[in-house]
């Protein structure tokens, strides 16, 4: 027991001595210590103050947003395929491209065609929620007013969307920060309206009808919301 007590005391004293020796060496600040690890800047090395970056330093460049630095022939190449250069339509589309570098007329047309079908079917079904997300305030109020009147008369629309034959941009312009694009859409639709008794009062449930519309969509290019909304409609005779 005496040997055990002596050995324990010996090791405790040795540990204290070693601790103070290590502290004198490791605990001393020299001014050359590394900064604390920052997970948000990990992987980026900064040269010491007054030191020039080495020539073989790796620099990761962020993707450059397409803008005015991009050659015009590349920047407007897609637009020039949609509208003849020098025309008013081409100038309007270029203005939109200048305001929103991510704008692509072909992608826009694809989205507009999908929106067209959704709006036509939502109107037939009286789906106000879907319409609200796709229409401007004024157009929405007009559509809802027509739905309300139809419901008051207990009328119902039966519709089947066949497809879109043609969809082409016929107008484009910037109004302040708002981009406006007008489309001429030719679609095929089966539609019939029935009264409260179930009798057909408009359309034909067995006939595919050709429908021609001129619709204008708009979007604020300063907004983070990428969605366009229908701001004007016109039926083409």
């Amino acid at each position: 027991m005496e040997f055990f007590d002596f050995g324990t005391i010996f090791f405790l004293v040795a540990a204290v001595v070693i601790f103070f020796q290590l502290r004198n060496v490791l605990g001393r600040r020299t001014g050359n210590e590394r900064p604390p690890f920052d997970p948000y800047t990990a992987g980026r090395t900064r040269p010491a103050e007054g030191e020039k970056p080495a020539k073989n330093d790796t620099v990761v460049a962020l993707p450059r947003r397409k803008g005015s630095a991009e050659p015009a022939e590349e920047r407007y190449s897609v637009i020039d395929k949609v509208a003849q250069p020098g025309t008013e339509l081409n100038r309007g589309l270029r203005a939109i491209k200048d305001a929103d570098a991510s704008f692509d007329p072909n992608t826009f047309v694809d989205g507009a065609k999908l929106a067209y079908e959704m709006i036509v079917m939502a109107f037939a079904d009286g789906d106000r929620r879907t319409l609200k997300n796709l229409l401007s305030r004024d157009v929405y109020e007009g559509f809802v007013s027509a739905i309300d009147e139809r419901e008051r008369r207990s009328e119902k629309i039966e519709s089947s969307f066949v497809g879109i034959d043609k969809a082409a941009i016929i107008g484009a312009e910037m109004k302040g920060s708002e981009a406006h694009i007008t489309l001429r859409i030719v679609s095929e639709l089966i539609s019939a309206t029935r009264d409260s008794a179930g009798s057909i009062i408009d359309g034909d449930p067995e006939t595919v009808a050709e429908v021609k519309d001129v619709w204008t969509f708009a979007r604020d290019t300063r907004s983070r919301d990428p969605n366009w909304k229908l701001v004007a409609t016109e039926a083409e005779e």
Side-chain angles (χ1 to χ4, degrees), residues 65 75-76 79 88-105 108 169 171-182 217-221 228:
R65 182 178 180 182
R75 187 180 189 189
Y76 302 123
I79 290 174
E88 185 177 351
L89 177 58
N90 185 279
R91 288 191 290 269
L93 291 173
R94 286 187 176 211
I96 294 175
K97 181 71 171 178
D98 290 340
D100 179 4
S102 66
F103 172 70
D104 183 313
F108 168 81
I169 298 175
E173 64 177 327
M174 287 294 299
K175 293 183 177 181
S177 63
E178 258 195 0
H180 288 245
I181 298 181
T182 300
F217 294 86
R219 174 183 175 268
D220 189 342
T221 57
W228 295 70

Side-chain angles (χ1 to χ4, degrees), residues 117 119-127 131 142-161 189-205 207 209 211:
E117 179 179 352
I119 291 170
V120 168
M121 296 309 297
F123 175 73
D125 297 337
D127 184 354
L131 292 174
F143 274 49
V144 169
S145 178
I147 293 173
D148 290 342
E149 183 62 28
R150 188 176 73 210
E151 291 177 347
R152 279 194 292 270
R153 295 194 300 263
S154 299
E155 296 174 355
K156 291 185 179 180
I157 295 179
E158 298 174 356
S159 289
S160 295
F161 193 85
L189 184 70
I190 300 174
S191 181
T193 303
R194 297 181 182 274
D195 61 17
S196 58
S199 301
I200 297 175
I201 58 176
D202 188 33
D204 188 339
T207 303
V211 181

Side-chain angles (χ1 to χ4, degrees), residues 24 27-28 33 43 52 58 63 73 76 78 104 200:
N24 289 334
R28 188 179 302 156
E33 295 84 1
K52 294 183 179 180
T58 301
E73 61 271 16
Y76 302 123
V78 177
D104 183 313
I200 297 175

